Amino acid sequence: INNWRISFDYDVIYGKNDSKVTDLDAGMFFRIGFQNSAELSGALIRMDYTYLFFPFDPTNTGGKEIEAGRSYTYLSQRWGFRSNARKRFFFNTNLRFGQYFNGKIFQSQNSFSYRIQPYGIFSVDVNYTGIRLPKPYNSADLWLIGPRAEISFNRSLFFNAFMQYNNQVNNVNLNLRLQYRFKPVSDFFLVYTDNYFATDEPGTMLGNHPARAFQSKNRALVAKLTYWFNL
């Protein structure tokens, strides 16, 4: 172990017009740094308080909304580990579990990366959120999965590719970016982005036909030029 610390954090948002505390979070946190640069961190205990001014569906799935005009206090724990980023393979993981409004939540956010010298880094993000609320509210299993590639052809030409699957909004996003640095702090960017339906969506019509899996929602091709004037 290289260093460690324990801290207490307290944040509060106060509504001036109605003289009411609207959001509050407090917790006891720890962080342990290892000699190989890996790090373990988390919240031994964390309390959240939220006052709802408007109805709210935490799952964003179109289910019954939690009623407005009520306050919610819930406890949770959070843990995270970041491995030695100097290695070829490195990863970062964060966990959250405990109470959530009137139910429970389990959240796992993970990033796995592999460095290939001198070409670039290839990685994948895998995020899961499980929300369990009592009936008649909706529960949900939400996934965000995104492979990514960051490639350097030489000191002037770079290519980034990113794809993300999001089951909450039934979407697959593709983003490609080519960057050419023709002089210091001066670049030309060419970016292509496309959004697709991840699965069939009979309730959504595109023209006279229901939306199908991998049917494009929208796409764009954007060019950007930056130039540094040194006066």
Side-chain angles (χ1 to χ4, degrees), residues 108-120:
S108 175
Q109 298 177 324
N110 308 276
S111 179
F112 306 93
S113 301
Y114 188 80
R115 181 185 296 108
I116 301 178
Q117 298 284 20
Y119 304 106

Side-chain angles (χ1 to χ4, degrees), residues 3-230:
N3 60 78
W4 64 273
R5 72 172 184 259
I6 295 178
S7 61
F8 178 77
D9 183 77
Y10 183 92
D11 299 291
V12 61
I13 299 177
Y14 181 79
K16 180 179 179 181
N17 293 335
D18 50 20
S19 301
K20 183 186 294 292
V21 174
T22 59
D23 288 276
L24 180 151
D25 65 79
M28 180 177 291
F29 301 88
F30 74 92
R31 188 180 301 272
I32 302 173
F34 299 94
Q35 292 184 358
N36 65 357
S37 81
E39 187 176 271
L40 176 67
S41 61
L44 299 174
I45 189 67
R46 171 172 169 143
M47 182 193 76
D48 288 271
Y49 168 89
T50 304
Y51 180 85
L52 289 183
F53 288 94
F54 304 97
F56 172 60
D57 173 19
T59 67
N60 195 30
T61 56
K64 179 178 173 60
E65 296 178 322
I66 297 177
E67 296 79 4
R70 295 181 57 186
S71 61
Y72 297 86
T73 301
Y74 41 100
L75 302 175
S76 63
Q77 287 185 304
R78 305 187 185 202
W79 296 80
F81 181 77
R82 186 187 67 195
S83 72
N84 183 0
R86 294 175 296 186
K87 299 287 188 180
R88 287 196 174 187
F89 172 76
F90 55 97
F91 66 93
N92 185 27
T93 183
N94 291 280
L95 301 177
R96 173 188 177 186
F97 51 93
Q99 299 171 338
Y100 186 65
F101 288 94
N102 58 349
K104 295 183 178 180
I105 189 172
F106 175 80
Q107 191 171 59
S108 175
Q109 298 177 324
N110 308 276
S111 179
F112 306 93
S113 301
Y114 188 80
R115 181 185 296 108
I116 301 178
Q117 298 284 20
Y119 304 106
I121 298 176
F122 300 86
S123 60
V124 59
D125 298 332
V126 181
N127 299 327
Y128 167 76
T129 301
I131 299 175
R132 298 293 178 264
L133 302 179
K135 296 295 184 181
Y137 306 100
N138 279 1
S139 295
D141 295 292
L142 308 177
W143 289 92
L144 278 175
I145 302 175
R148 180 194 307 268
E150 303 175 24
I151 302 173
S152 299
F153 296 105
N154 51 49
R155 295 184 178 182
S156 301
L157 189 61
F158 313 96
F159 177 72
N160 287 10
F162 174 72
M163 178 177 286
Q164 184 185 74
Y165 164 69
N166 184 341
N167 75 324
Q168 186 178 38
V169 293
N170 190 26
N171 190 72
V172 175
N173 171 255
L174 175 66
N175 186 279
L176 306 175
R177 187 186 74 176
L178 184 68
Q179 176 186 357
Y180 173 59
R181 176 156 292 178
F182 53 90
K183 63 175 296 185
V185 202
S186 301
D187 301 271
F188 174 74
F189 298 92
L190 189 63
V191 180
Y192 174 77
T193 184
D194 208 335
N195 288 281
Y196 303 88
F197 289 96
T199 61
D200 292 349
E201 196 168 289
T204 300
M205 301 296 293
L206 293 180
N208 297 323
H209 305 283
R212 300 293 186 184
F214 297 105
Q215 187 172 2
S216 180
K217 299 179 181 180
N218 54 71
R219 56 171 58 102
L221 181 65
V222 179
K224 176 182 176 181
L225 178 69
T226 62
Y227 188 84
W228 181 35
F229 290 94
N230 190 5

